[in-house]
Amino acid sequence: MDKHEGTEKRLSREQLLRLTAAAGGATLLGSRFDTAQAALERLGAESGRLQVLDWPGYGNDGGQAMFAQYVKTHPSNKPQFTQMTSESDALGRIHAGLKPDLFRPYVGWVKYFATSGLVQPWDTKQISNFKHLNPFMVKAGQYNGKQYGIPDDWGFDAILYRSDKVHPKARSWGLLFDERYKGKIAWYDDLEMLVMAGLYLGFPRPYRQSDSELKKSQKLLMSKKHLVRLIWSSETNLWEAFGSGDLWIAYAWPNDWVQMKKKKLPVVYMRPKEKPIAWVGMFMLMKGSKRPHLAHAYVNAWSSARSGKWLEDNYGYGHANTLARPSSSALLRALQLTNPKAVTEPNAHLDRDIPRRALYARMWEEVKAS
Amino acid sequence: MALANADSSPEHVPRPRRLRLDLTTPILLGLPLAWLAAFFLVPIAIVAAYSFDVYSLNPGPHGFTLTAWHDFLHSSVYLRLFWKSVKLSLTVSAIIVLLAYPLAYYLALSGTKRKYILLLLLIAPFLTSYLLRVLAWKVILGNQGAVNTFLFWTGLRSPDHPLSQLLYSRFAVMLVLGYIWLPFVALPIFVSLESLDRRLLEAASDLGASRLQAFRRVTLPLSLPGVVAAFLFVFIPTLGEFVTPSLVGGASGYLYGNQIVDLFSTGFPDWEIGSVLSIFLLGVVAILTVVFARFLQPGEVTVD
């Protein structure tokens, strides 16, 4: 039995027809026959369900929208999701033996994972939608000239408040420290809180604060913690507390504003004068993935304008595909979707590698414990 | 002597049954001990190794060091948080033991024929999920929850000024923990009271003791092991509790258990400090268990 017979036996009839068509198409386009043959062999060798480590909610639609194109073309390799609650959680799972094909950390972790030896760069030629992705976000996914992160969802960290209850003295992060609203304020459970405190205190490099600056940021947070009712880590928890009136002010994402609007609450999503923090989700391909080509196909589906519109309409996040436009003009304005530089300086502080991330994290944990 | 003679008899042949017993005992003990070693002692040893940086999640050089322990023992933040959790657990345990004792006393000693039905009702909440029972309190305690709705209805509070400190507070954590653990506390006290020798109470009565004196000098001392066991049943798990505080505690209800979870899985993985906090908790609990175990011996009846 030669090698080709073995490959064919592993494929369903449908897969074989599709691959034959792909190989034929490649031949027609002038590729060498052995290239098409190699592609067929690679795809044929990739079997089983695509293993995706992703945040809760991103597998919920069952392949009807965000990655519909992938499910349609690879019905035998539907994604199987494992949920991650943070990059730290993902790292722990991977070290414990989880072997996903791809996962989605956020932009601040690109350098960490690129240098960790856990991931490999993408072959952007296999992602036809790549050319439509926001170039600033694409650049943020690079390390040493290689594309380790494919940008996808993005948004801002800013302030959500009830306009019928809260009257800010200024458009500032300081609203999260306003004594008048003691017991009605929510912070976000992440070390970005130290970055935000640094922005509020006017430090020039909030992601690279000196020891004394970090201490001042931590001291500010510790001294204002008594005002805080909830330090949220789950959006549903925030929506529930905000929706029921337990909270009036929150460190929040655009999606939270969308959800509160849906509840008919009078809410404002305020851009602080110190500028919001921006974040971008980055798909990363695991080194040693058994299904790299399927992973590329999956990410390509996510990167389509159609997926982007769905994400914007339903989740209130931005999408890296510059052709994606939400149905809501209010969301279009809030996310500044017509501005390709929305996530970068001077409009916003794009999340980035924090060289002393471990120290930031420990100091934030101390704030919570205080 | 007769036994010695029997052993020295030339006709004595070791019985195969004894040999079987000798093998059965190590097998019976060996399996659970192996299980305990593999899934309890070895994981604890691994966590301890992380605390000394013998193992590390992060790439790069690492080796035995006491840095994480030094940081922990010199951090007032972590120790204060631990003390906060100890105080909260002690308070919850003491209050629910006080609440559960009369309940268990009634069930065990009142002589009612329905005591097992009542006992079943007491433990009925265990038929539902722990998570659901905690989440149900969010419905009760929230700004638009049952308590506030009642207060609005009675006119005691206006909808603009609900009792807002019911949820996402230390009070909420204590209330929910008390509710969750009350049946656990009542059961050991009930068992210890029900096994009480009633003749002792009759004797006390015959000797002129009032009901209060009989309780103080007979019932209470003899039920004390059940009370101590009940107290431990609550105190140990609530000391490391993290689910309830994360659901109803908010910023002020954050406890030591939450800190351990967060050090392992949020922000940036700090498994070294997380392991130190875990081993420290384990050590404190072990010491307390040994200390309390002394009180688990049956009490004595006091006689003037």
Side-chain angles (χ1 to χ4, degrees), chain B residues 62-142:
Chain B
H62 56 88
F64 182 87
T65 167
L66 293 171
T67 309
W69 279 96
H70 178 272
D71 290 352
F72 169 72
L73 293 170
H74 288 81
S75 161
S76 59
V77 173
Y78 294 130
L79 293 175
R80 268 208 308 268
L81 184 65
F82 182 73
W83 180 234
K84 175 184 167 185
S85 298
V86 169
K87 280 191 295 183
L88 188 136
S89 292
L90 279 174
T91 311
V92 169
S93 308
I95 289 174
I96 55 177
V97 163
L98 285 175
L99 289 174
Y101 196 96
L103 192 68
Y105 184 92
Y106 173 76
L107 289 176
L109 299 178
S110 68
T112 173
K113 289 176 183 172
R114 297 193 192 96
K115 67 178 171 186
Y116 289 108
I117 296 172
L118 292 173
L119 195 66
L120 191 67
L121 284 176
L122 182 70
I123 59 172
F126 281 105
L127 300 175
T128 60
S129 121
Y130 178 91
L131 206 57
L132 275 180
R133 279 179 282 147
V134 179
L135 288 171
W137 279 98
K138 292 182 93 166
V139 180
I140 296 168
L141 300 175

Side-chain angles (χ1 to χ4, degrees), chain A residues 86 229 240 246 362 365 368, chain B residues 71 138 164 259 262 265:
Chain A
S86 67
R229 183 82 174 275
E240 186 186 282
D246 284 309
R362 188 176 286 188
E365 290 305 324
K368 286 193 292 178
Chain B
D71 290 352
K138 292 182 93 166
S164 59
Q259 181 80 111
D262 287 352
S265 64

Side-chain angles (χ1 to χ4, degrees), chain A residues 85-86 88-89 91-92 95 109 112 116 165 183-184 189-191 222 225 228-231 237 240-241 243-246 357-358 361-362 365-366 368-370, chain B residues 57-59 71 75 77-78 80-81 138 142-144 160 164-168 246-247 249-252 254 259 262-271 273:
Chain A
T85 55
S86 67
S88 174
D89 176 49
L91 190 59
H95 277 286
W109 287 76
Y112 178 88
S116 71
K165 308 276 188 189
K184 293 292 182 186
D189 187 0
D190 195 271
L191 56 86
M222 282 178 167
K225 196 188 147 213
V228 178
R229 183 82 174 275
L230 184 70
I231 300 177
N237 200 4
E240 186 186 282
S244 66
D246 284 309
R357 186 177 287 276
R362 188 176 286 188
E365 290 305 324
E366 288 175 358
K368 286 193 292 178
S370 66
Chain B
L57 195 65
N58 298 313
D71 290 352
S75 161
V77 173
Y78 294 130
R80 268 208 308 268
L81 184 65
K138 292 182 93 166
N143 264 14
Q144 295 170 356
D160 288 337
S164 59
Q165 289 307 314
L166 290 176
L167 190 59
Y168 303 122
S246 63
L247 290 174
S252 62
Y254 189 83
Q259 181 80 111
D262 287 352
L263 283 166
F264 275 96
S265 64
T266 64
F268 189 85
D270 199 344
W271 285 28
I273 279 280

Side-chain angles (χ1 to χ4, degrees), chain B residues 6-301:
Chain B
D7 282 348
S8 59
S9 159
E11 293 167 10
H12 174 72
V13 178
R15 285 180 294 180
R17 187 164 174 268
R18 186 180 175 83
L19 184 66
R20 271 209 308 275
L21 267 180
D22 286 345
L23 288 174
T24 307
T25 307
I27 289 171
L28 283 175
L29 274 177
L31 280 174
L33 281 177
W35 180 272
L36 194 71
F39 299 112
F40 182 66
L41 297 178
V42 171
I44 287 173
I46 293 171
V47 173
Y50 271 105
S51 79
F52 294 114
D53 207 23
V54 175
Y55 291 152
S56 176
L57 195 65
N58 298 313
H62 56 88
F64 182 87
T65 167
L66 293 171
T67 309
W69 279 96
H70 178 272
D71 290 352
F72 169 72
L73 293 170
H74 288 81
S75 161
S76 59
V77 173
Y78 294 130
L79 293 175
R80 268 208 308 268
L81 184 65
F82 182 73
W83 180 234
K84 175 184 167 185
S85 298
V86 169
K87 280 191 295 183
L88 188 136
S89 292
L90 279 174
T91 311
V92 169
S93 308
I95 289 174
I96 55 177
V97 163
L98 285 175
L99 289 174
Y101 196 96
L103 192 68
Y105 184 92
Y106 173 76
L107 289 176
L109 299 178
S110 68
T112 173
K113 289 176 183 172
R114 297 193 192 96
K115 67 178 171 186
Y116 289 108
I117 296 172
L118 292 173
L119 195 66
L120 191 67
L121 284 176
L122 182 70
I123 59 172
F126 281 105
L127 300 175
T128 60
S129 121
Y130 178 91
L131 206 57
L132 275 180
R133 279 179 282 147
V134 179
L135 288 171
W137 279 98
K138 292 182 93 166
V139 180
I140 296 168
L141 300 175
N143 264 14
Q144 295 170 356
V147 174
N148 272 312
T149 305
F150 176 75
L151 293 174
F152 303 154
W153 180 69
T154 55
L156 291 169
R157 304 287 290 204
S158 79
D160 288 337
H161 297 93
L163 263 184
S164 59
Q165 289 307 314
L166 290 176
L167 190 59
Y168 303 122
S169 62
R170 212 176 297 185
F171 164 78
V173 176
M174 292 172 72
L175 180 69
V176 176
L177 285 178
Y179 160 75
I180 297 285
W181 291 100
L182 187 72
F184 268 115
V185 173
L187 279 176
I189 300 175
F190 170 79
V191 170
S192 116
L193 285 170
E194 213 200 20
S195 58
L196 195 73
D197 188 346
R198 310 292 171 90
R199 289 173 302 178
L200 290 170
L201 293 175
E202 287 168 12
S205 177
D206 291 347
L207 292 169
S210 67
R211 289 183 72 174
L212 185 63
Q213 282 173 320
F215 171 77
R216 199 159 53 83
R217 292 181 180 167
V218 179
T219 312
L220 187 61
L222 291 176
S223 63
L224 215 50
V227 172
V228 174
F231 185 85
L232 276 182
F233 270 15
V234 189
F235 181 70
I236 291 173
T238 53
L239 191 55
E241 173 70 38
F242 74 95
V243 175
T244 302
S246 63
L247 290 174
V248 300
S252 62
Y254 189 83
L255 296 180
Y256 191 78
N258 299 90
Q259 181 80 111
I260 293 176
V261 172
D262 287 352
L263 283 166
F264 275 96
S265 64
T266 64
F268 189 85
D270 199 344
W271 285 28
E272 285 76 24
I273 279 280
S275 301
V276 169
L277 265 70
S278 308
I279 295 289
F280 181 78
L281 176 66
L282 192 72
V284 170
V285 166
I287 291 167
L288 286 174
T289 307
V290 170
V291 170
F292 277 107
R294 295 188 61 226
F295 296 100
L296 287 173
Q297 309 304 321
E300 292 176 354
V301 178

